[in-house]
Short mmCIF file of all heavy atoms in Angstrom, two decimals:
data_model
loop_
_atom_site.label_atom_id
_atom_site.label_comp_id
_atom_site.label_asym_id
_atom_site.label_seq_id
_atom_site.Cartn_x
_atom_site.Cartn_y
_atom_site.Cartn_z
N MET A 1 -20.18 -1.42 -5.57
CA MET A 1 -19.82 -0.01 -5.76
C MET A 1 -20.14 0.37 -7.19
O MET A 1 -19.86 -0.35 -8.11
CB MET A 1 -18.36 0.25 -5.48
CG MET A 1 -17.95 0.13 -4.04
SD MET A 1 -16.20 0.46 -3.82
CE MET A 1 -15.84 -0.95 -2.72
N SER A 2 -20.66 1.55 -7.34
CA SER A 2 -21.08 2.00 -8.61
C SER A 2 -20.57 3.41 -8.84
O SER A 2 -20.64 4.22 -7.92
CB SER A 2 -22.57 1.97 -8.77
OG SER A 2 -22.96 2.46 -10.00
N GLU A 3 -19.98 3.70 -9.97
CA GLU A 3 -19.42 5.04 -10.29
C GLU A 3 -20.02 5.49 -11.59
O GLU A 3 -20.46 4.68 -12.43
CB GLU A 3 -17.89 4.98 -10.39
CG GLU A 3 -17.17 4.66 -9.10
CD GLU A 3 -17.36 5.75 -8.03
OE1 GLU A 3 -17.41 6.91 -8.36
OE2 GLU A 3 -17.43 5.36 -6.89
N VAL A 4 -20.05 6.80 -11.82
CA VAL A 4 -20.50 7.39 -13.05
C VAL A 4 -19.36 7.84 -13.88
O VAL A 4 -18.43 8.47 -13.35
CB VAL A 4 -21.45 8.63 -12.72
CG1 VAL A 4 -21.88 9.30 -13.97
CG2 VAL A 4 -22.64 8.15 -11.91
N MET A 5 -19.38 7.49 -15.16
CA MET A 5 -18.30 7.93 -16.06
C MET A 5 -18.61 9.32 -16.61
O MET A 5 -19.74 9.65 -16.99
CB MET A 5 -18.21 6.93 -17.26
CG MET A 5 -17.06 7.17 -18.16
SD MET A 5 -16.83 5.87 -19.43
CE MET A 5 -18.33 6.04 -20.39
N THR A 6 -17.57 10.14 -16.68
CA THR A 6 -17.70 11.49 -17.24
C THR A 6 -17.78 11.42 -18.74
O THR A 6 -17.58 10.38 -19.37
CB THR A 6 -16.51 12.36 -16.86
OG1 THR A 6 -15.34 11.89 -17.44
CG2 THR A 6 -16.32 12.46 -15.32
N GLU A 7 -18.05 12.56 -19.36
CA GLU A 7 -18.16 12.63 -20.84
C GLU A 7 -16.86 12.19 -21.53
O GLU A 7 -16.94 11.65 -22.64
CB GLU A 7 -18.60 14.01 -21.28
CG GLU A 7 -20.05 14.31 -20.99
CD GLU A 7 -20.44 15.68 -21.49
OE1 GLU A 7 -19.86 16.15 -22.50
OE2 GLU A 7 -21.35 16.24 -20.98
N ASP A 8 -15.75 12.43 -20.89
CA ASP A 8 -14.45 12.14 -21.56
C ASP A 8 -13.96 10.77 -21.06
O ASP A 8 -12.80 10.40 -21.27
CB ASP A 8 -13.43 13.23 -21.35
CG ASP A 8 -13.16 13.55 -19.87
OD1 ASP A 8 -13.91 13.15 -19.00
OD2 ASP A 8 -12.16 14.21 -19.62
N GLY A 9 -14.80 9.91 -20.49
CA GLY A 9 -14.48 8.53 -20.14
C GLY A 9 -13.80 8.30 -18.86
O GLY A 9 -13.24 7.24 -18.59
N LYS A 10 -13.73 9.30 -17.96
CA LYS A 10 -13.06 9.13 -16.68
C LYS A 10 -14.00 8.64 -15.61
O LYS A 10 -15.20 9.01 -15.56
CB LYS A 10 -12.43 10.42 -16.24
CG LYS A 10 -11.37 10.93 -17.15
CD LYS A 10 -10.78 12.26 -16.73
CE LYS A 10 -9.75 12.76 -17.72
NZ LYS A 10 -9.23 14.06 -17.37
N ILE A 11 -13.43 7.83 -14.71
CA ILE A 11 -14.20 7.33 -13.53
C ILE A 11 -13.33 7.51 -12.33
O ILE A 11 -12.10 7.61 -12.40
CB ILE A 11 -14.68 5.85 -13.66
CG1 ILE A 11 -13.43 4.95 -13.76
CG2 ILE A 11 -15.63 5.62 -14.77
CD1 ILE A 11 -13.72 3.49 -13.57
N THR A 12 -13.97 7.52 -11.12
CA THR A 12 -13.21 7.58 -9.90
C THR A 12 -13.10 6.15 -9.32
O THR A 12 -14.12 5.51 -9.21
CB THR A 12 -13.91 8.50 -8.89
OG1 THR A 12 -13.96 9.82 -9.42
CG2 THR A 12 -13.18 8.54 -7.54
N ILE A 13 -11.86 5.76 -8.99
CA ILE A 13 -11.72 4.48 -8.34
C ILE A 13 -11.97 4.66 -6.89
O ILE A 13 -11.27 5.46 -6.27
CB ILE A 13 -10.35 3.88 -8.64
CG1 ILE A 13 -10.10 3.74 -10.09
CG2 ILE A 13 -10.15 2.53 -7.90
CD1 ILE A 13 -8.62 3.43 -10.49
N PRO A 14 -12.91 3.95 -6.26
CA PRO A 14 -13.21 4.15 -4.85
C PRO A 14 -11.97 3.91 -3.98
O PRO A 14 -11.11 3.09 -4.26
CB PRO A 14 -14.27 3.09 -4.56
CG PRO A 14 -14.90 2.81 -5.92
CD PRO A 14 -13.81 2.96 -6.86
N GLU A 15 -11.91 4.68 -2.89
CA GLU A 15 -10.76 4.65 -2.02
C GLU A 15 -10.42 3.27 -1.49
O GLU A 15 -9.27 2.90 -1.50
CB GLU A 15 -10.94 5.61 -0.83
CG GLU A 15 -9.72 5.71 0.03
CD GLU A 15 -9.82 6.74 1.13
OE1 GLU A 15 -10.86 7.44 1.23
OE2 GLU A 15 -8.90 6.82 1.93
N PRO A 16 -11.43 2.42 -1.06
CA PRO A 16 -11.08 1.08 -0.57
C PRO A 16 -10.36 0.29 -1.64
O PRO A 16 -9.46 -0.51 -1.33
CB PRO A 16 -12.43 0.49 -0.20
CG PRO A 16 -13.32 1.62 0.03
CD PRO A 16 -12.83 2.72 -0.91
N ILE A 17 -10.73 0.45 -2.92
CA ILE A 17 -10.12 -0.29 -3.99
C ILE A 17 -8.67 0.25 -4.22
O ILE A 17 -7.77 -0.56 -4.39
CB ILE A 17 -10.93 -0.21 -5.27
CG1 ILE A 17 -12.38 -0.68 -5.08
CG2 ILE A 17 -10.28 -0.90 -6.43
CD1 ILE A 17 -12.48 -2.19 -4.71
N ARG A 18 -8.51 1.57 -4.21
CA ARG A 18 -7.22 2.15 -4.37
C ARG A 18 -6.26 1.66 -3.28
O ARG A 18 -5.11 1.28 -3.54
CB ARG A 18 -7.30 3.68 -4.34
CG ARG A 18 -7.98 4.28 -5.51
CD ARG A 18 -7.81 5.83 -5.65
NE ARG A 18 -7.98 6.53 -4.39
CZ ARG A 18 -9.12 7.16 -4.08
NH1 ARG A 18 -10.14 7.15 -4.89
NH2 ARG A 18 -9.23 7.83 -2.97
N GLN A 19 -6.73 1.63 -2.08
CA GLN A 19 -5.95 1.14 -0.91
C GLN A 19 -5.59 -0.36 -1.09
O GLN A 19 -4.47 -0.74 -0.86
CB GLN A 19 -6.61 1.37 0.41
CG GLN A 19 -6.68 2.83 0.78
CD GLN A 19 -7.45 3.10 2.11
OE1 GLN A 19 -8.17 2.19 2.58
NE2 GLN A 19 -7.38 4.28 2.59
N HIS A 20 -6.57 -1.14 -1.45
CA HIS A 20 -6.35 -2.60 -1.60
C HIS A 20 -5.30 -2.87 -2.64
O HIS A 20 -4.43 -3.75 -2.50
CB HIS A 20 -7.66 -3.25 -2.02
CG HIS A 20 -7.50 -4.72 -2.32
ND1 HIS A 20 -7.32 -5.67 -1.33
CD2 HIS A 20 -7.54 -5.37 -3.52
CE1 HIS A 20 -7.19 -6.85 -1.91
NE2 HIS A 20 -7.30 -6.72 -3.24
N LEU A 21 -5.31 -2.11 -3.77
CA LEU A 21 -4.33 -2.31 -4.86
C LEU A 21 -3.02 -1.54 -4.69
O LEU A 21 -2.10 -1.71 -5.40
CB LEU A 21 -4.96 -1.91 -6.21
CG LEU A 21 -6.09 -2.74 -6.67
CD1 LEU A 21 -6.72 -2.16 -7.94
CD2 LEU A 21 -5.67 -4.17 -6.97
N GLY A 22 -2.99 -0.69 -3.60
CA GLY A 22 -1.80 0.14 -3.33
C GLY A 22 -1.59 1.26 -4.39
O GLY A 22 -0.47 1.63 -4.70
N LEU A 23 -2.69 1.72 -4.93
CA LEU A 23 -2.60 2.75 -5.98
C LEU A 23 -2.34 4.11 -5.41
O LEU A 23 -2.92 4.49 -4.39
CB LEU A 23 -3.90 2.80 -6.81
CG LEU A 23 -4.27 1.52 -7.55
CD1 LEU A 23 -5.63 1.63 -8.25
CD2 LEU A 23 -3.19 1.17 -8.56
N GLN A 24 -1.49 4.88 -6.07
CA GLN A 24 -1.18 6.25 -5.69
C GLN A 24 -1.33 7.09 -6.96
O GLN A 24 -1.31 6.53 -8.04
CB GLN A 24 0.26 6.29 -5.18
CG GLN A 24 0.62 5.31 -4.11
CD GLN A 24 0.80 5.89 -2.79
OE1 GLN A 24 1.13 7.07 -2.64
NE2 GLN A 24 0.65 5.13 -1.76
N PRO A 25 -1.36 8.43 -6.82
CA PRO A 25 -1.37 9.25 -8.06
C PRO A 25 -0.21 8.85 -8.93
O PRO A 25 0.93 8.75 -8.48
CB PRO A 25 -1.29 10.62 -7.53
CG PRO A 25 -1.84 10.59 -6.15
CD PRO A 25 -1.46 9.22 -5.62
N GLY A 26 -0.43 8.61 -10.23
CA GLY A 26 0.62 8.23 -11.13
C GLY A 26 0.73 6.76 -11.33
O GLY A 26 1.55 6.25 -12.13
N SER A 27 0.04 5.93 -10.49
CA SER A 27 0.10 4.50 -10.63
C SER A 27 -0.38 4.03 -11.99
O SER A 27 -1.27 4.66 -12.55
CB SER A 27 -0.71 3.80 -9.57
OG SER A 27 -0.19 3.99 -8.26
N LYS A 28 0.20 2.97 -12.52
CA LYS A 28 -0.24 2.44 -13.78
C LYS A 28 -1.25 1.33 -13.54
O LYS A 28 -1.09 0.50 -12.58
CB LYS A 28 0.97 1.91 -14.57
CG LYS A 28 1.90 3.04 -14.95
CD LYS A 28 3.03 2.52 -15.79
CE LYS A 28 3.90 3.72 -16.13
NZ LYS A 28 4.95 3.35 -17.06
N ILE A 29 -2.25 1.27 -14.34
CA ILE A 29 -3.37 0.36 -14.18
C ILE A 29 -3.65 -0.35 -15.49
O ILE A 29 -3.64 0.25 -16.55
CB ILE A 29 -4.64 1.08 -13.74
CG1 ILE A 29 -4.44 1.82 -12.42
CG2 ILE A 29 -5.83 0.12 -13.59
CD1 ILE A 29 -5.49 2.86 -12.12
N ASP A 30 -3.88 -1.67 -15.43
CA ASP A 30 -4.27 -2.43 -16.64
C ASP A 30 -5.78 -2.81 -16.49
O ASP A 30 -6.25 -3.10 -15.39
CB ASP A 30 -3.48 -3.71 -16.76
CG ASP A 30 -2.04 -3.53 -17.18
OD1 ASP A 30 -1.82 -2.46 -17.86
OD2 ASP A 30 -1.22 -4.32 -16.86
N PHE A 31 -6.50 -2.79 -17.58
CA PHE A 31 -7.85 -3.34 -17.67
C PHE A 31 -7.76 -4.59 -18.48
O PHE A 31 -7.24 -4.63 -19.61
CB PHE A 31 -8.79 -2.34 -18.35
CG PHE A 31 -9.01 -1.07 -17.55
CD1 PHE A 31 -8.21 0.06 -17.70
CD2 PHE A 31 -10.03 -1.02 -16.59
CE1 PHE A 31 -8.41 1.20 -16.99
CE2 PHE A 31 -10.23 0.13 -15.83
CZ PHE A 31 -9.43 1.23 -16.01
N ARG A 32 -8.20 -5.72 -17.94
CA ARG A 32 -8.14 -7.01 -18.63
C ARG A 32 -9.52 -7.57 -18.82
O ARG A 32 -10.32 -7.63 -17.90
CB ARG A 32 -7.27 -7.97 -17.85
CG ARG A 32 -5.82 -7.46 -17.75
CD ARG A 32 -4.95 -8.50 -17.21
NE ARG A 32 -3.57 -7.90 -17.04
CZ ARG A 32 -2.72 -8.29 -16.15
NH1 ARG A 32 -2.98 -9.30 -15.36
NH2 ARG A 32 -1.55 -7.70 -16.05
N GLN A 33 -9.78 -8.03 -20.05
CA GLN A 33 -11.11 -8.61 -20.32
C GLN A 33 -10.95 -10.16 -20.21
O GLN A 33 -10.09 -10.72 -20.84
CB GLN A 33 -11.58 -8.26 -21.73
CG GLN A 33 -12.97 -8.76 -21.98
CD GLN A 33 -13.54 -8.26 -23.32
OE1 GLN A 33 -12.88 -7.53 -24.03
NE2 GLN A 33 -14.77 -8.62 -23.56
N LEU A 34 -11.76 -10.72 -19.40
CA LEU A 34 -11.74 -12.18 -19.18
C LEU A 34 -12.57 -12.84 -20.26
O LEU A 34 -13.38 -12.24 -20.92
CB LEU A 34 -12.30 -12.52 -17.76
CG LEU A 34 -11.63 -11.80 -16.61
CD1 LEU A 34 -12.31 -12.22 -15.30
CD2 LEU A 34 -10.14 -12.10 -16.51
N GLN A 35 -12.39 -14.15 -20.41
CA GLN A 35 -13.18 -14.92 -21.42
C GLN A 35 -14.67 -14.78 -21.15
O GLN A 35 -15.49 -14.88 -22.07
CB GLN A 35 -12.71 -16.34 -21.43
CG GLN A 35 -11.41 -16.55 -22.10
CD GLN A 35 -11.00 -18.04 -22.23
OE1 GLN A 35 -11.56 -18.91 -21.52
NE2 GLN A 35 -10.13 -18.33 -23.15
N SER A 36 -15.03 -14.66 -19.91
CA SER A 36 -16.46 -14.55 -19.50
C SER A 36 -17.02 -13.18 -19.97
O SER A 36 -18.26 -13.02 -19.92
CB SER A 36 -16.59 -14.68 -17.99
OG SER A 36 -15.94 -13.55 -17.38
N GLY A 37 -16.19 -12.26 -20.41
CA GLY A 37 -16.69 -10.93 -20.81
C GLY A 37 -16.51 -9.87 -19.72
O GLY A 37 -16.57 -8.70 -19.97
N GLU A 38 -16.22 -10.34 -18.49
CA GLU A 38 -15.97 -9.36 -17.40
C GLU A 38 -14.65 -8.65 -17.67
O GLU A 38 -13.72 -9.20 -18.26
CB GLU A 38 -15.92 -10.11 -16.07
CG GLU A 38 -17.26 -10.68 -15.63
CD GLU A 38 -17.12 -11.40 -14.32
OE1 GLU A 38 -16.26 -12.33 -14.22
OE2 GLU A 38 -17.86 -11.11 -13.38
N VAL A 39 -14.58 -7.41 -17.13
CA VAL A 39 -13.34 -6.64 -17.17
C VAL A 39 -12.85 -6.44 -15.80
O VAL A 39 -13.61 -6.08 -14.90
CB VAL A 39 -13.54 -5.32 -17.93
CG1 VAL A 39 -12.31 -4.45 -17.92
CG2 VAL A 39 -14.06 -5.52 -19.36
N VAL A 40 -11.56 -6.72 -15.58
CA VAL A 40 -10.97 -6.53 -14.24
C VAL A 40 -9.93 -5.48 -14.25
O VAL A 40 -9.28 -5.23 -15.27
CB VAL A 40 -10.39 -7.85 -13.66
CG1 VAL A 40 -11.50 -8.87 -13.44
CG2 VAL A 40 -9.31 -8.40 -14.55
N LEU A 41 -9.75 -4.78 -13.17
CA LEU A 41 -8.77 -3.71 -12.97
C LEU A 41 -7.58 -4.32 -12.24
O LEU A 41 -7.73 -4.98 -11.21
CB LEU A 41 -9.40 -2.62 -12.12
CG LEU A 41 -8.52 -1.47 -11.63
CD1 LEU A 41 -8.36 -0.49 -12.80
CD2 LEU A 41 -9.18 -0.80 -10.47
N VAL A 42 -6.36 -4.15 -12.79
CA VAL A 42 -5.13 -4.79 -12.19
C VAL A 42 -4.09 -3.71 -12.02
O VAL A 42 -3.79 -3.00 -13.01
CB VAL A 42 -4.66 -5.93 -13.11
CG1 VAL A 42 -3.39 -6.57 -12.49
CG2 VAL A 42 -5.69 -6.97 -13.39
N ALA A 43 -3.53 -3.62 -10.87
CA ALA A 43 -2.39 -2.71 -10.64
C ALA A 43 -1.20 -3.23 -11.46
O ALA A 43 -0.87 -4.42 -11.40
CB ALA A 43 -2.01 -2.62 -9.17
N ASN A 44 -0.56 -2.30 -12.20
CA ASN A 44 0.54 -2.73 -13.08
C ASN A 44 1.89 -2.54 -12.43
O ASN A 44 2.89 -2.41 -13.05
CB ASN A 44 0.45 -1.92 -14.36
CG ASN A 44 1.40 -2.43 -15.47
OD1 ASN A 44 2.03 -3.44 -15.30
ND2 ASN A 44 1.44 -1.70 -16.55
N GLU A 45 1.91 -2.53 -11.13
CA GLU A 45 3.20 -2.40 -10.39
C GLU A 45 2.98 -3.11 -9.05
O GLU A 45 1.83 -3.36 -8.64
CB GLU A 45 3.56 -0.94 -10.17
CG GLU A 45 2.44 -0.04 -9.81
CD GLU A 45 2.74 1.42 -9.99
OE1 GLU A 45 3.24 1.79 -11.05
OE2 GLU A 45 2.49 2.19 -9.08
N PRO A 46 4.06 -3.47 -8.38
CA PRO A 46 3.92 -4.21 -7.15
C PRO A 46 3.16 -3.40 -6.10
O PRO A 46 3.30 -2.17 -6.03
CB PRO A 46 5.36 -4.45 -6.67
CG PRO A 46 6.28 -3.68 -7.56
CD PRO A 46 5.45 -3.20 -8.77
N LYS A 47 2.42 -4.09 -5.29
CA LYS A 47 1.67 -3.44 -4.22
C LYS A 47 2.67 -2.82 -3.23
O LYS A 47 3.67 -3.49 -2.82
CB LYS A 47 0.82 -4.51 -3.52
CG LYS A 47 -0.22 -3.95 -2.57
CD LYS A 47 -1.13 -5.10 -2.13
CE LYS A 47 -2.20 -4.53 -1.21
NZ LYS A 47 -3.10 -5.61 -0.74
N SER A 48 2.47 -1.60 -2.87
CA SER A 48 3.38 -0.92 -1.98
C SER A 48 3.28 -1.41 -0.58
O SER A 48 2.27 -1.86 -0.12
CB SER A 48 3.17 0.61 -2.02
OG SER A 48 1.87 0.91 -1.53
N GLU A 49 4.41 -1.39 0.12
CA GLU A 49 4.42 -1.80 1.51
C GLU A 49 3.77 -0.77 2.41
O GLU A 49 3.65 0.43 2.01
CB GLU A 49 5.88 -1.92 1.96
CG GLU A 49 6.71 -2.95 1.30
CD GLU A 49 8.14 -3.02 1.82
OE1 GLU A 49 8.95 -2.20 1.35
OE2 GLU A 49 8.40 -3.81 2.68
N SER A 50 3.42 -1.14 3.55
CA SER A 50 2.88 -0.21 4.54
C SER A 50 4.00 0.73 4.95
O SER A 50 5.20 0.45 4.73
CB SER A 50 2.34 -0.88 5.76
OG SER A 50 3.43 -1.37 6.59
N PHE A 51 3.67 1.89 5.50
CA PHE A 51 4.65 2.88 5.92
C PHE A 51 5.65 2.31 6.85
O PHE A 51 6.87 2.43 6.67
CB PHE A 51 3.95 4.05 6.56
CG PHE A 51 4.89 5.08 7.10
CD1 PHE A 51 5.51 6.00 6.29
CD2 PHE A 51 5.20 5.13 8.48
CE1 PHE A 51 6.45 6.94 6.76
CE2 PHE A 51 6.11 6.06 8.96
CZ PHE A 51 6.69 6.96 8.07
N PHE A 52 5.22 1.50 7.84
CA PHE A 52 6.13 0.93 8.85
C PHE A 52 6.94 -0.26 8.31
O PHE A 52 8.04 -0.48 8.72
CB PHE A 52 5.36 0.53 10.10
CG PHE A 52 4.67 1.69 10.74
CD1 PHE A 52 3.32 1.88 10.66
CD2 PHE A 52 5.46 2.62 11.43
CE1 PHE A 52 2.77 3.00 11.24
CE2 PHE A 52 4.84 3.70 12.06
CZ PHE A 52 3.52 3.92 11.97
N ALA A 53 6.37 -1.03 7.39
CA ALA A 53 7.08 -2.23 6.82
C ALA A 53 8.36 -1.75 6.14
O ALA A 53 9.35 -2.53 6.11
CB ALA A 53 6.21 -2.94 5.89
N LYS A 54 8.44 -0.57 5.61
CA LYS A 54 9.59 -0.10 4.89
C LYS A 54 10.81 0.03 5.82
O LYS A 54 11.93 -0.07 5.42
CB LYS A 54 9.34 1.27 4.29
CG LYS A 54 8.34 1.23 3.14
CD LYS A 54 8.07 2.64 2.64
CE LYS A 54 6.91 2.63 1.67
NZ LYS A 54 6.53 3.96 1.22
N PHE A 55 10.54 0.23 7.11
CA PHE A 55 11.65 0.43 8.09
C PHE A 55 12.00 -0.77 8.86
O PHE A 55 12.90 -0.76 9.70
CB PHE A 55 11.20 1.58 9.00
CG PHE A 55 10.97 2.87 8.33
CD1 PHE A 55 9.75 3.35 8.06
CD2 PHE A 55 12.10 3.60 7.86
CE1 PHE A 55 9.50 4.54 7.38
CE2 PHE A 55 11.90 4.83 7.19
CZ PHE A 55 10.64 5.26 6.98
N LEU A 56 11.29 -1.84 8.62
CA LEU A 56 11.54 -3.10 9.39
C LEU A 56 12.96 -3.58 9.15
O LEU A 56 13.43 -3.71 8.03
CB LEU A 56 10.52 -4.15 8.96
CG LEU A 56 10.47 -5.45 9.73
CD1 LEU A 56 10.01 -5.13 11.21
CD2 LEU A 56 9.53 -6.43 9.10
N GLY A 57 13.72 -3.76 10.22
CA GLY A 57 15.04 -4.32 10.14
C GLY A 57 16.16 -3.23 9.90
O GLY A 57 17.27 -3.57 9.77
N HIS A 58 15.79 -1.99 9.83
CA HIS A 58 16.80 -0.96 9.55
C HIS A 58 17.48 -0.42 10.80
O HIS A 58 18.49 0.29 10.70
CB HIS A 58 16.16 0.22 8.78
CG HIS A 58 15.84 -0.15 7.37
ND1 HIS A 58 16.79 -0.10 6.37
CD2 HIS A 58 14.69 -0.60 6.81
CE1 HIS A 58 16.20 -0.48 5.22
NE2 HIS A 58 14.98 -0.78 5.48
N ALA A 59 16.92 -0.67 11.98
CA ALA A 59 17.50 -0.03 13.19
C ALA A 59 18.70 -0.83 13.76
O ALA A 59 19.47 -0.39 14.61
CB ALA A 59 16.44 0.07 14.23
N GLY A 60 18.91 -2.05 13.29
CA GLY A 60 19.97 -2.90 13.82
C GLY A 60 19.51 -3.57 15.10
O GLY A 60 18.38 -3.37 15.53
N PRO A 61 20.39 -4.35 15.68
CA PRO A 61 19.95 -5.18 16.82
C PRO A 61 19.64 -4.36 18.11
O PRO A 61 18.82 -4.74 18.92
CB PRO A 61 21.12 -6.14 17.09
CG PRO A 61 22.29 -5.45 16.40
CD PRO A 61 21.75 -4.66 15.32
N GLY A 62 20.34 -3.22 18.26
CA GLY A 62 20.01 -2.38 19.46
C GLY A 62 20.57 -2.98 20.73
O GLY A 62 21.28 -3.99 20.75
N MET A 63 20.07 -2.40 21.84
CA MET A 63 20.54 -2.88 23.19
C MET A 63 19.57 -3.95 23.64
O MET A 63 18.41 -3.98 23.29
CB MET A 63 20.52 -1.73 24.15
CG MET A 63 21.55 -0.65 23.82
SD MET A 63 21.74 0.58 25.12
CE MET A 63 20.20 1.44 25.06
N SER A 64 20.08 -4.81 24.57
CA SER A 64 19.23 -5.81 25.22
C SER A 64 18.36 -5.13 26.29
O SER A 64 18.65 -4.03 26.67
CB SER A 64 20.05 -6.89 25.82
OG SER A 64 20.80 -6.38 26.95
N THR A 65 17.38 -5.83 26.75
CA THR A 65 16.51 -5.29 27.82
C THR A 65 17.35 -4.96 29.05
O THR A 65 17.18 -3.95 29.71
CB THR A 65 15.40 -6.29 28.17
OG1 THR A 65 14.68 -6.57 26.96
CG2 THR A 65 14.47 -5.76 29.23
N ASP A 66 18.28 -5.90 29.38
CA ASP A 66 19.15 -5.64 30.57
C ASP A 66 19.98 -4.45 30.41
O ASP A 66 20.20 -3.70 31.38
CB ASP A 66 20.04 -6.91 30.82
CG ASP A 66 19.23 -8.13 31.31
OD1 ASP A 66 18.13 -7.91 31.84
OD2 ASP A 66 19.70 -9.25 31.12
N GLU A 67 20.54 -4.19 29.22
CA GLU A 67 21.35 -3.01 28.98
C GLU A 67 20.50 -1.71 29.10
O GLU A 67 20.95 -0.75 29.65
CB GLU A 67 21.99 -3.07 27.57
CG GLU A 67 23.07 -4.15 27.45
CD GLU A 67 23.51 -4.37 26.01
OE1 GLU A 67 22.67 -4.23 25.10
OE2 GLU A 67 24.70 -4.61 25.84
N VAL A 68 19.32 -1.76 28.57
CA VAL A 68 18.43 -0.58 28.67
C VAL A 68 18.05 -0.33 30.16
O VAL A 68 18.08 0.84 30.61
CB VAL A 68 17.12 -0.78 27.84
CG1 VAL A 68 16.13 0.31 28.12
CG2 VAL A 68 17.46 -0.86 26.36
N MET A 69 17.69 -1.37 30.87
CA MET A 69 17.40 -1.19 32.34
C MET A 69 18.53 -0.65 33.09
O MET A 69 18.41 0.24 33.91
CB MET A 69 16.92 -2.54 32.87
CG MET A 69 15.61 -3.07 32.30
SD MET A 69 14.23 -1.94 32.44
CE MET A 69 13.94 -1.96 34.17
N ALA A 70 19.77 -1.16 32.81
CA ALA A 70 20.95 -0.65 33.54
C ALA A 70 21.19 0.79 33.18
O ALA A 70 21.50 1.63 34.06
CB ALA A 70 22.15 -1.52 33.15
N MET A 71 21.01 1.19 31.91
CA MET A 71 21.20 2.57 31.48
C MET A 71 20.17 3.54 32.18
O MET A 71 20.53 4.57 32.70
CB MET A 71 21.07 2.71 29.96
CG MET A 71 21.28 4.11 29.46
SD MET A 71 21.11 4.27 27.69
CE MET A 71 19.29 4.08 27.56
N THR A 72 18.95 3.07 32.25
CA THR A 72 17.90 3.92 32.87
C THR A 72 18.06 4.06 34.42
O THR A 72 17.66 5.01 35.03
CB THR A 72 16.47 3.45 32.57
OG1 THR A 72 16.35 2.09 33.04
CG2 THR A 72 16.20 3.52 31.07
N ARG A 73 18.72 3.04 34.97
CA ARG A 73 18.98 3.08 36.43
C ARG A 73 20.31 3.82 36.77
O ARG A 73 20.59 3.99 37.95
CB ARG A 73 19.01 1.65 37.00
CG ARG A 73 17.66 0.98 36.91
CD ARG A 73 17.78 -0.41 37.49
NE ARG A 73 16.53 -1.13 37.35
CZ ARG A 73 16.38 -2.40 37.06
NH1 ARG A 73 17.43 -3.17 36.88
NH2 ARG A 73 15.20 -2.88 36.91
N GLY A 74 21.07 4.15 35.71
CA GLY A 74 22.35 4.79 35.97
C GLY A 74 23.42 3.86 36.44
O GLY A 74 24.41 4.27 36.99
N GLU A 75 23.26 2.56 36.13
CA GLU A 75 24.29 1.59 36.48
C GLU A 75 25.35 1.54 35.40
O GLU A 75 25.16 1.82 34.26
CB GLU A 75 23.65 0.20 36.62
CG GLU A 75 22.58 0.11 37.68
CD GLU A 75 21.79 -1.19 37.63
OE1 GLU A 75 22.11 -2.04 36.81
OE2 GLU A 75 20.90 -1.37 38.48
N ASP A 76 26.59 1.17 35.80
CA ASP A 76 27.70 1.09 34.84
C ASP A 76 27.74 -0.29 34.22
O ASP A 76 27.53 -1.31 34.58
CB ASP A 76 29.03 1.37 35.54
CG ASP A 76 29.16 2.86 35.78
OD1 ASP A 76 28.53 3.69 35.03
OD2 ASP A 76 29.85 3.22 36.73
#
């Protein structure tokens, strides 16, 4: 991927990279220079969870399959 830097030094981080790093508007980013001379982009905060992972385990145990089947059949 190749991007063009603006006159004031800004670049656009491609969407696949933003998603991979979990970057959102306002995210903090570090630029690190390796001994080889390469520069890497590092997210300065933990990678965010997926939308659904945030809710995992919050609903409680719920009803068993037998209880749901009895309820849908109108059984006591």
Side-chain angles (χ1 to χ4, degrees):
M1 289 178 226
S2 177
E3 294 294 326
V4 176
M5 185 171 65
T6 65
E7 287 184 25
D8 58 346
K10 296 178 182 178
I11 60 167
T12 299
I13 301 170
E15 185 176 358
I17 302 299
R18 293 192 313 261
Q19 289 178 347
H20 175 74
L21 294 174
L23 298 175
Q24 309 250 338
S27 292
K28 295 183 180 185
I29 302 166
D30 286 334
F31 292 91
R32 297 190 185 153
Q33 185 173 2
L34 306 179
Q35 286 184 339
S36 64
E38 293 178 305
V39 176
V40 294
L41 173 80
V42 180
N44 192 3
E45 43 198 48
K47 194 172 180 178
S48 63
E49 296 180 276
S50 75
F51 176 78
F52 297 105
K54 294 176 188 176
F55 298 103
L56 190 63
H58 288 277
M63 296 189 291
S64 69
T65 304
D66 290 336
E67 291 170 325
V68 171
M69 294 303 291
M71 181 181 72
T72 58
R73 293 181 183 141
E75 300 171 0
D76 289 329

